[in-house]
């Protein structure tokens, strides 16, 4: 089991990902944006961070930068619906 942080402003996508990962036995924390994701990671590190690239309160890459300050080797996945 790993701890996964999912930061995405699209509620349905976030919940689907969380549901799939939780069904596989992983602990999942959901965040609705960069601010929520940063707060969640600051309180307790995660084994994996999945984040949307563009959200209303910032970019997922900014969230990953914060995560890298705590754990430089921690894996991250960036999702996006934008073609460019």
């Amino acid at each position: 089991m790993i701890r996964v942080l999912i930061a995405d402003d699209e509620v349905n996508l976030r919940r689907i990902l969380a549901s799939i990962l939780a069904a596989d036995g992983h602990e999942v924390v959901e965040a609705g944006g960069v601010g929520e994701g940063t707060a969640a990671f600051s309180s307790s590190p995660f084994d994996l961070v999945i984040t949307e690239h563009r959200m209303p309160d910032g970019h997922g890459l900014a969230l990953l930068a914060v995560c890298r300050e705590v754990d430089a080797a921690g894996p991250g996945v960036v999702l996006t619906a934008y073609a460019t």
Side-chain angles (χ1 to χ4, degrees):
M1 178 181 90
I2 64 170
R3 294 190 74 230
V4 181
L5 172 63
I6 302 173
D8 196 321
D9 61 318
E10 293 291 330
V11 177
N12 291 333
L13 176 61
R14 189 175 71 230
R15 292 202 174 139
I16 289 169
L17 288 172
S19 176
I20 291 168
L21 291 168
D24 282 342
H26 304 296
E27 180 183 344
V28 180
V29 173
E30 297 179 46
V34 174
E36 286 182 32
T38 299
F41 196 90
S42 296
S43 67
S44 180
F46 291 83
D47 300 306
L48 173 65
V49 176
I50 302 172
T51 182
E52 169 67 31
H53 178 59
R54 293 184 191 177
M55 292 180 272
D57 67 339
H59 292 280
L61 295 177
L63 172 59
L64 289 181
V66 170
C67 298
R68 297 275 182 201
E69 290 175 7
V70 175
D71 182 4
V77 176
V78 178
L79 306 174
T80 188
Y82 295 93
T84 58

